[in-house]
Amino acid sequence: MKQSIGAKTLAFPTPAWVVGTYDMNEKPNAMTVAWAGICCSNPPCISVSLRKATYSYAGIMENKAFTVNIPSEDNIKEADYFGITSGRDENKFEAACLTPIRSELVPAPYIAEFPVILECKLLHSLEIGLHTLFVGEIMDIKAEESVLDENGNPDIEKIRPLIYGTGNRSYYGIGCNLGKAFSIGKKA
């Protein structure tokens, strides 16, 4: 029997992505977000939700752009750090010993050491209570060659992205491949 637990911010899985922005003085900043995902196929778009109080919110509004940096399990310490410290108080890139790279496509930095980067221009913003939903059109995806499959696409098992557990506020890795999408259901 199912038990009601009330309206909460629980959905599985949620990503642990790091959003890159510049502040008004072009200082690179980044913050970890979990309220995010793919939201459109054509044009290719993702969404991220931030509170107005965050330093990154102002950077997105100012520059109309952001990057999504997908950390691997090897980057767990840095990803967590980016979520618990404000760019108002310190230079997160220097403190984390990571390298900000200026995107050539959008006015936002990306993290050189993370395996996959999505460069996004802001298409829409929508205030939803405490958070603002930002929809970014993906202008380009950059990936380390070492995480690409034989078709040139990022391979989730090579990336080993972080997943955030909203209920217990913990990070997880991915599990094993269970079968091919749009195929395994044909056997039902």
Side-chain angles (χ1 to χ4, degrees), residues 154-174:
D155 182 327
I156 193 168
E157 291 178 339
K158 292 178 181 178
I159 297 166
R160 300 179 5 248
L162 299 176
I163 298 169
Y164 179 67
T166 58
N168 64 4
R169 300 177 77 175
S170 296
Y171 297 107
Y172 294 86
I174 59 163

Side-chain angles (χ1 to χ4, degrees), residues 20-30 54-65 86-91 93 102 107-109:
T21 59
Y22 283 119
D23 72 6
M24 288 166 240
N25 298 314
E26 292 198 24
K27 179 181 114 183
N29 185 48
T54 65
Y55 198 55
S56 295
Y57 174 95
I60 292 173
M61 294 300 286
E62 173 78 17
N63 296 294
K64 308 294 186 221
S86 174
R88 282 186 190 94
D89 303 325
E90 61 185 272
N91 185 320
F93 281 93
R102 180 177 293 277

Side-chain angles (χ1 to χ4, degrees), residues 72-129:
S72 76
E73 292 175 12
D74 296 335
N75 309 117
I76 189 170
K77 181 179 176 185
E78 295 86 353
D80 190 55
Y81 169 76
F82 279 128
I84 59 178
T85 305
S86 174
R88 282 186 190 94
D89 303 325
E90 61 185 272
N91 185 320
K92 292 184 186 184
F93 281 93
E94 284 181 10
C97 298
L98 293 176
T99 311
I101 303 293
R102 180 177 293 277
S103 167
E104 294 178 4
L105 301 175
V106 298
Y110 62 86
I111 302 170
E113 293 81 2
F114 284 15
V116 179
I117 311 302
L118 290 76
E119 297 167 291
C120 304
K121 76 174 180 181
L122 183 64
L123 282 187
H124 303 285
S125 63
L126 175 65
E127 289 187 35
I128 310 171

Side-chain angles (χ1 to χ4, degrees), residues 40-45:
C40 188
S41 301
N42 189 11
C45 293

Side-chain angles (χ1 to χ4, degrees), residues 157 176-185 187:
E157 291 178 339
C176 62
N177 184 331
L178 301 176
K180 288 297 248 178
F182 308 103
S183 175
I184 199 166
K187 299 175 187 171

